[in-house]
Amino acid sequence: MNHGTALLWKRRALSSLSATRRGLPKEKMTENGMMSRAKVLTIDTINPTVKKVEYAVRGPIVQRAVELERELSQGMKKPFAEVIKANIGDAHAMGQQPITFFRQVLALCSYPELLSDSTFPEDAKSRACRILQSCGGRSMGAYSASQGIHSVREDVARYIERRDGGVPCDPDDIYLTTGASDGIVTMLKLLVCGEGASRTGVMISIPQYPLYSAALAELGAVQINYYLNEEKCWSLDIPELQRALDEARQYCNPRALCIINPGNPTGQVQSRKCIEDVIRFAAKERLFLMADEVYQDNVYADGCQFHSFKKVLFEMGPEYSDTVELASFHSTSKCYMGECGFRGGYMEIINMDDEVKDQLIKLVSVRLCSPVPGQALMDLVVNPPQPGEPSYDNFIKERTATLSALAEKAKLTEQILNTVEGISCNPVQGAMYSFPRITIPEKAVKEATENGQEPDMFYCMKMLEETGICLVPGSGFGQKDGTYHFRMTILPPPDKLKILLDKVKEFHQRFTQQYS
Amino acid sequence: MSQQAVNGVPCRGKVLTVDNMNPNVKRVEYAVRGPIVQRAVQIEKELREGVKKPFTEVIKANIGDAHAMGQKPITFLRQVLALCSYPELMEDNKFPEDAKKRAQRILGACGGHSIGAYSASQGIECIRQDVARYIEKRDGGIPSNPDNIYLSTGASDAIVTMLKLLVCGEGRDRTGVMISIPQYPLYSAALADLGAVQISYYLDEEKCWSLDVAELRRALNAARQHCNPRVLCIINPGNPTGQVQSRQCIEDVIRFAKEEHLFLMADEVYQDNVYAEGCKFHSFKKVLFEMGPEYSSTVEMASFHSTSKCYMGECGFRGGYMEVINMDPEVKTQLTKLVSVRLCPPVPGQALLDLVVNPPQPDEPSYATFMKERTAVLSALAEKARLTEQIFNAVPGITCNPVQGAMYTFPRITLPQKAIDKAKEEGKVPDMYYCMRLLEEEGICLVPGSGFGQREGTFHFRLVWLPASLLPPVHIQTSKSFNLMRFYVTTLYCLNPDD
């Protein structure tokens, strides 16, 4: 057959394909009898895994809160004068002050002409010079190496060594990321493979920080829930890990175990023994360990101490430290810095296969690099003013003030909430949140269900409309069936926090009364 | 699974290996920071350690990183960023009033008046308003709704997010995405990562890399046999080719997208980088709206911009935005939900973008300096573009299309059969072999054309002509130390690998 005939046959074959097969949508008849075409991108044709993604921390209740703020600013009358966004761990938005030293160095890095300005201390200037020297063209505007600025990774490694009592840290195992979220999603992406019953399963706590469930939904991985023990202050229980794992093995291939310590939303600080047990469990069951440690400086309760997974791993000896694959995550968003907007973070990878490491480096190179201001900030966090340096006293003063304010607020929150009948709050051992259990009357549960709402969403929505306080319902984080919670940040200044807590108390009493 | 025993003790394989990791990730390649760059970094390390080389420094002409190559930041932008970082500087009379005003406006829109607070996930509202106004001014008054603006972590972030939304279906119904050959390899990497089908359409090298609708049609029809084509990506001005599409061409593309029911993605990050006489940037949105409601109310489109290129070159800040046009409201809700999971784009980058779209005005104190710096940067770029084209076209075996825009040249190189055979012997793609030789012998790091895509049997490389050391100022062009002449020598050398 000649070329022309072949072409003709092809054209005929193509045109005889249905419109949909040729990629064109069916024509739709509209109300006024006109033919119109559906859009290219509709709810039926978007990525199905995206539809499964939920992120309660900025979900429907927060959207309503933003709407209310708009209405208030337009002069609408409400039972409250302002909306209080106690839904998100955003310290600066709630009045926490940035650390002076950090902001001085960042200003110097942004506009190096300020290096000749005598109002800046010498140690700030020398940090800025060091950072700029490591930047292309001595500018924060240059791309950095995809793994992050080398000297910053060296400083991170030294920080980790100091923190972990000398356990060695290789800068090549450090990846600077766009917040910890970026590193977490990247690691999860690497781990996901398989189909059907061999699809990767990832263990995560209930309750959890919903980045994990969102990422797993998006990646089409299987979420394996293990319950934290509310009766024992949200502690982690190995038999429960075992139960969850054994069950999951029937329908997926469990490969990773995620721990958030200190916990979010629960604030529990795991004991050293617990961390050892988890490591032993991961080694035995061949699980890749992911340790989310972004709240490592936020530890308040007496008798509680932060133990890094890496430190414990190495103290357990080479049988574990040579074999267990671990990724630890940290961020500039929490602790005493609260610099969420800079999107600074890092992950340290232990015992990763060399070929996988090459793949990881390749993967992060596609997005070029994490924001350089965030990398600079991380450098200061891991390399703060030292005793003897001009900024030291002020730095320690500010850091201490922030951390002790948080400790005070943690205590206050637990105290006040526990005076409310129908609210029961575990000690806030660490992090930035309380996750109290609330009793919701049957009548309210019924009304919520009739409205197609989770009962604790129903509760939180009512609280928002009546008091202007925006919290996140426990259903957004996960909880045992039949129990209800909310997550509230401890961040507002103490006097404001007290007013907030009293309002929550009043609301709960009103609500309980209303639905009794 | 247990591996070979070591001294009698069985050792188990790792949990995470190349055999059980995400298979899509394995398919990802990104040549701009690929193997040749890794070798360049190694060589730099060797130089530092005192190893003797035929050169004293490696010139990294592989990546569009203006500041790394000596371009200076715009003073006004950095002043405002410093004020935002450390508001105590508001008392400092070293800073002009307009910089302070901009900083106050930005801080007023931040939680707790701090750039350390998270912003709304779609980006700070007043910045999105400023972006919308910028777009309206740029496009001669065509309205832009701030709610259609999404600030992002560089343009790359938004491009990946849009592609992610668009990918669905299995097997022959899997989403196909049209992208140019040559292309900026973020696209091929993202499509591999998402498991979408890449549909390549060839730009016409003989016609200065122009886009040909007949070629689009050919590619589309061929693709319909094995996937479900839904998206058409255009980079204008182009990367790596630098072509600036004519208005007619843009209209034709829009018409084609409408006919064939494709979602249009217009990557316009080089919109200020236009140099050639007779060339002009026409935004896809502007042309779309000037084509009338039959198109402007139906064609679904996303346009992308960034703070990394143009006259700013602020790559490290990761600032960017996309504008979505005619997006289905339910899809928009999904998009808004998706970006919320990552909380927000970096606030310093958002602040920077605000200044880019809201620069000093004629009546403001910083205006004169701002214009002077902006003009200097853009005219230096134009000069380098012209010079590069001139010099390369004087080298036998190198043909260089006019560099109409962007920051790159993508010349075609003729490699003799001997060189091609040598490359094959070494298991390398011929243009990678050429580029590796250039790196090892002259210390110049480029990216081979195979990293971007090219017609079978042709070879190219992409050179970023930004480096000051590559192209010294005009008055010492004829100096013996003129580095580009090294190309001449090296190319001759490569053409005769036995010499």
Side-chain angles (χ1 to χ4, degrees):
Chain A
M1 153 185 354
N2 69 27
H3 178 69
T5 316
L7 221 51
L8 195 61
W9 282 27
K10 220 182 211 175
R11 260 198 283 259
R12 281 195 189 136
L14 260 176
S15 62
S16 72
L17 287 172
S18 70
T20 9
R21 228 0 240 116
R22 280 164 63 211
L24 302 173
K26 298 194 177 72
E27 299 282 338
K28 286 198 322 190
M29 184 74 81
T30 64
E31 279 175 354
N32 57 9
M34 299 287 287
M35 294 303 274
S36 80
R37 259 159 132 196
K39 285 189 185 277
V40 177
L41 189 54
T42 68
I43 198 74
D44 298 317
T45 62
I46 78 167
N47 187 328
T49 63
V50 170
K51 282 195 281 196
K52 297 212 243 311
V53 167
E54 297 300 337
Y55 183 69
V57 175
R58 281 208 154 168
I61 196 162
V62 184
Q63 287 166 352
R64 178 62 188 144
V66 172
E67 235 171 49
L68 285 171
E69 275 178 327
R70 202 167 276 151
E71 290 174 11
L72 271 176
S73 71
Q74 288 163 357
M76 239 192 236
K77 278 254 153 284
K78 300 274 171 202
F80 48 85
E82 63 166 331
V83 172
I84 300 174
K85 306 260 240 337
N87 57 297
I88 185 169
D90 191 347
H92 291 196
M94 293 280 127
Q96 182 175 304
Q97 293 306 302
I99 299 291
T100 303
F101 182 74
F102 294 167
R103 294 307 192 86
Q104 286 175 330
V105 178
L106 286 165
L108 288 162
C109 287
S110 299
Y111 190 51
E113 276 79 346
L114 291 170
L115 287 166
S116 53
D117 188 325
S118 57
T119 58
F120 288 89
E122 280 315 305
D123 48 4
K125 290 181 180 180
S126 76
R127 293 283 194 299
C129 285
R130 185 156 177 280
I131 290 166
L132 289 175
Q133 239 152 40
S134 318
C135 295
R138 293 178 67 100
S139 165
M140 284 212 295
Y143 287 121
S144 78
S146 298
Q147 205 171 328
I149 293 171
H150 189 78
S151 66
V152 176
R153 291 188 287 114
E154 282 173 346
D155 289 349
V156 169
R158 276 195 285 266
Y159 159 82
I160 292 172
E161 283 176 356
R162 275 196 317 267
R163 181 197 68 189
D164 295 346
V167 174
C169 178
D170 183 351
D172 279 345
D173 290 338
I174 306 293
Y175 294 74
L176 304 186
T177 55
T178 307
S181 298
D182 178 27
I184 290 165
V185 170
T186 297
M187 267 320 306
L188 289 173
K189 182 183 286 189
L190 275 184
L191 282 156
V192 175
C193 74
E195 304 287 325
S198 60
R199 189 72 175 163
T200 296
V202 177
M203 300 183 72
I204 181 63
S205 56
I206 292 300
Q208 47 106 29
Y209 172 52
L211 165 72
Y212 289 88
S213 47
L216 296 175
E218 203 195 296
L219 290 166
V222 179
Q223 183 176 332
I224 304 168
N225 298 330
Y226 64 86
Y227 289 87
L228 299 176
N229 190 340
E230 185 161 16
E231 266 68 70
K232 295 203 181 132
C233 202
W234 298 114
S235 63
L236 211 153
D237 187 26
I238 299 297
E240 167 57 15
L241 285 182
Q242 194 73 59
R243 175 210 64 76
L245 180 70
D246 292 342
E247 210 175 281
R249 283 215 158 104
Q250 317 205 31
Y251 56 83
C252 72
N253 179 19
R255 303 180 68 211
L257 169 55
C258 302
I259 315 272
I260 309 172
N261 181 52
N264 178 3
T266 54
Q268 90 281 11
V269 178
Q270 299 300 349
S271 68
R272 198 215 148 83
K273 169 103 192 4
C274 173
I275 293 173
E276 274 191 33
D277 290 344
V278 168
I279 291 171
R280 217 166 271 123
F281 178 80
K284 172 170 143 252
E285 302 292 350
R286 294 186 42 74
L287 300 168
F288 191 106
L289 252 181
M290 288 181 48
D292 181 341
E293 299 175 328
V294 304
Y295 297 99
Q296 53 190 266
D297 293 342
N298 300 113
V299 175
Y300 317 121
D302 275 336
C304 285
Q305 201 197 323
F306 170 71
H307 303 279
S308 83
F309 263 80
K310 186 188 175 196
K311 178 172 197 242
V312 177
L313 176 67
F314 274 72
E315 287 174 352
M316 289 169 73
E319 178 197 350
Y320 294 95
S321 61
D322 281 348
T323 61
V324 174
E325 291 149 71
L326 167 71
S328 313
F329 305 91
H330 196 18
S331 159
T332 59
S333 303
K334 313 296 178 189
C335 297
Y336 64 91
M337 302 82 74
E339 297 281 13
C340 310
F342 277 84
R343 316 314 284 114
Y346 75 73
M347 63 178 173
E348 180 186 14
I349 314 272
I350 305 296
N351 292 324
M352 180 176 271
D353 176 283
D354 286 335
E355 285 184 282
V356 174
K357 211 165 178 281
D358 288 340
Q359 292 292 320
L360 171 58
I361 290 169
K362 179 188 73 174
L363 189 60
V364 301
S365 79
V366 180
R367 300 295 293 274
L368 289 151
C369 69
S370 61
V372 175
Q375 296 188 41
L377 185 54
M378 182 54 91
D379 193 50
L380 304 172
V381 170
V382 299
N383 187 18
Q386 294 302 300
E389 287 188 302
S391 304
Y392 179 73
D393 287 342
N394 203 43
F395 169 75
I396 292 296
K397 182 156 148 262
E398 291 177 351
R399 182 181 191 272
T400 307
T402 297
L403 288 175
S404 53
L406 286 169
E408 188 194 325
K409 293 188 273 195
K411 200 140 211 161
L412 190 69
T413 300
E414 180 197 337
Q415 227 167 47
I416 294 180
L417 288 177
N418 277 326
T419 65
V420 186
E421 184 164 338
I423 299 188
S424 152
C425 185
N426 265 323
V428 178
Q429 295 179 337
M432 293 179 172
Y433 317 96
S434 65
F435 194 69
R437 182 153 165 193
I438 50 177
T439 310
I440 298 183
E442 258 321 297
K443 257 199 197 168
V445 174
K446 196 158 175 281
E447 191 173 320
T449 316
E450 273 161 28
N451 277 351
Q453 259 180 339
E454 290 287 345
D456 49 16
M457 173 62 94
F458 176 77
Y459 174 97
C460 289
M461 277 295 194
K462 280 231 176 269
M463 186 185 304
L464 175 61
E465 301 285 345
E466 286 173 30
T467 69
I469 299 170
C470 179
L471 311 174
V472 190
S475 44
F477 302 87
Q479 56 205 348
K480 273 207 195 288
D481 255 335
T483 66
Y484 310 108
H485 303 76
F486 61 71
R487 187 188 81 165
M488 175 171 161
T489 65
I490 61 171
L491 296 173
D495 46 353
K496 207 168 192 175
L497 180 63
K498 192 165 185 312
I499 295 171
L500 211 66
L501 291 166
D502 287 339
K503 284 212 167 115
V504 169
K505 178 174 183 169
E506 279 161 27
F507 167 80
H508 187 87
Q509 288 164 343
R510 240 183 3 255
F511 182 89
T512 306
Q513 180 76 340
Q514 189 186 344
Y515 288 95
S516 60
Chain B
M1 269 185 290
S2 60
Q3 288 182 340
Q4 202 65 29
V6 173
N7 65 19
V9 180
C11 59
R12 286 153 98 198
K14 290 209 184 259
V15 174
L16 184 56
T17 68
V18 269
D19 298 318
N20 63 22
M21 64 173 274
N22 188 326
N24 288 348
V25 171
K26 284 194 280 193
R27 286 195 273 276
V28 167
E29 296 302 336
Y30 184 68
V32 175
R33 283 207 152 169
I36 197 164
V37 183
Q38 287 169 349
R39 177 61 190 144
V41 171
Q42 227 172 37
I43 293 176
E44 279 180 319
K45 193 156 176 273
E46 290 171 16
L47 277 171
R48 275 197 303 271
E49 290 164 0
V51 177
K52 276 252 154 284
K53 301 265 175 204
F55 46 85
T56 52
E57 63 161 336
V58 174
I59 299 175
K60 304 257 254 319
N62 59 297
I63 185 168
D65 189 348
H67 291 198
M69 300 186 181
Q71 184 175 306
K72 294 288 169 234
I74 299 291
T75 303
F76 182 75
L77 271 44
R78 293 308 192 86
Q79 285 176 331
V80 178
L81 286 166
L83 287 161
C84 287
S85 300
Y86 190 52
E88 277 80 344
L89 290 170
M90 299 282 187
E91 311 300 318
D92 190 329
N93 51 25
K94 209 202 280 34
F95 290 88
E97 278 316 301
D98 49 4
K100 292 183 180 178
K101 239 177 73 200
R102 295 284 194 299
Q104 268 150 5
R105 184 156 176 280
I106 290 165
L107 290 175
C110 294
H113 275 74
S114 164
I115 52 173
Y118 287 122
S119 77
S121 298
Q122 203 170 330
I124 293 171
E125 190 172 351
C126 75
I127 297 180
R128 291 187 287 112
Q129 287 168 350
D130 290 350
V131 170
R133 274 196 284 267
Y134 159 85
I135 292 171
E136 285 175 355
K137 275 199 309 272
R138 181 198 68 191
D139 294 346
I142 293 163
S144 173
N145 183 348
D147 280 343
N148 288 335
I149 308 292
Y150 289 76
L151 306 189
S152 54
T153 306
S156 298
D157 176 28
I159 290 165
V160 170
T161 297
M162 266 322 304
L163 289 173
K164 183 180 290 185
L165 272 185
L166 283 156
V167 174
C168 73
E170 304 288 324
R172 293 181 73 197
D173 289 326
R174 192 68 174 164
T175 296
V177 177
M178 300 184 73
I179 182 64
S180 55
I181 293 300
Q183 47 106 30
Y184 172 53
L186 165 72
Y187 289 88
S188 46
L191 296 175
D193 192 355
L194 292 166
V197 179
Q198 181 176 335
I199 304 168
S200 302
Y201 64 85
Y202 289 90
L203 299 177
D204 192 343
E205 185 161 17
E206 263 69 74
K207 296 201 181 132
C208 202
W209 298 114
S210 64
L211 210 154
D212 183 16
V213 178
E215 165 57 15
L216 286 182
R217 189 156 282 124
R218 176 212 62 77
L220 181 69
N221 288 338
R224 284 216 158 102
Q225 320 220 18
H226 61 262
C227 72
N228 179 18
R230 301 178 68 212
V231 193
L232 169 55
C233 300
I234 316 269
I235 308 171
N236 182 50
N239 179 2
T241 53
Q243 91 281 10
V244 179
Q245 300 299 350
S246 69
R247 200 218 147 81
Q248 179 63 50
C249 173
I250 294 173
E251 272 193 35
D252 292 344
V253 168
I254 291 171
R255 213 165 275 122
F256 177 79
K258 180 175 198 302
E259 247 165 56
E260 302 293 349
H261 210 241
L262 301 168
F263 191 105
L264 251 180
M265 285 179 51
D267 181 341
E268 299 176 326
V269 303
Y270 297 100
Q271 55 190 264
D272 293 342
N273 300 113
V274 175
Y275 317 117
E277 292 254 340
C279 285
K280 189 169 174 242
F281 171 71
H282 303 279
S283 85
F284 262 80
K285 183 182 178 203
K286 178 169 198 251
V287 176
L288 176 68
F289 275 72
E290 288 174 351
M291 289 169 72
E294 181 197 349
Y295 293 92
S296 62
S297 55
T298 59
V299 174
E300 291 149 73
M301 191 172 91
S303 313
F304 305 90
H305 197 18
S306 159
T307 60
S308 303
K309 313 297 177 188
C310 297
Y311 64 90
M312 301 85 70
E314 298 281 11
C315 310
F317 279 84
R318 316 312 285 113
Y321 76 74
M322 71 173 164
E323 181 184 21
V324 300
I325 305 293
N326 292 323
M327 180 175 274
D328 177 291
E330 284 186 283
V331 172
K332 207 159 178 289
T333 303
Q334 291 293 318
L335 170 59
T336 303
K337 177 187 74 172
L338 189 61
V339 301
S340 80
V341 180
R342 299 299 293 273
L343 289 150
C344 71
V347 176
Q350 295 189 44
L352 185 55
L353 184 70
D354 191 49
L355 305 171
V356 169
V357 299
N358 189 17
Q361 292 305 296
D363 57 334
E364 291 184 299
S366 303
Y367 180 73
T369 304
F370 171 77
M371 286 309 290
K372 182 155 148 265
E373 292 176 347
R374 183 182 192 272
T375 305
V377 168
L378 289 175
S379 52
L381 290 173
E383 179 59 24
K384 289 182 186 182
R386 195 190 56 76
L387 207 60
T388 301
E389 181 193 332
Q390 211 172 60
I391 289 165
F392 275 130
N393 277 326
V395 181
I398 301 190
T399 329
C400 186
N401 263 323
V403 179
Q404 295 179 338
M407 295 178 171
Y408 316 97
T409 177
F410 196 68
R412 181 155 164 190
I413 47 177
T414 311
L415 294 177
Q417 196 55 49
K418 269 196 194 155
I420 295 171
D421 293 339
K422 195 88 202 297
K424 273 208 180 79
E425 251 170 65
E426 294 191 9
K428 287 199 178 81
V429 177
D431 50 17
M432 173 62 96
Y433 170 74
Y434 173 94
C435 291
M436 278 295 194
R437 287 284 297 266
L438 188 67
L439 174 62
E440 301 284 348
E441 286 156 32
E442 299 292 335
I444 297 174
C445 179
L446 312 174
V447 190
S450 43
F452 301 88
Q454 58 205 347
R455 274 198 188 279
E456 194 69 49
T458 66
F459 309 108
H460 303 77
F461 59 74
R462 187 186 80 165
L463 167 82
V464 179
W465 36 255
L466 298 172
S469 48
L470 204 52
L471 284 167
V474 173
H475 70 276
I476 53 168
Q477 250 176 67
T478 53
S479 150
K480 284 214 178 92
S481 65
F482 194 174
N483 285 332
L484 262 183
M485 290 309 291
R486 279 150 60 171
F487 267 110
Y488 190 94
V489 170
T490 309
T491 309
L492 286 181
Y493 190 73
C494 280
L495 290 176
N496 303 285
D498 293 335
D499 289 358

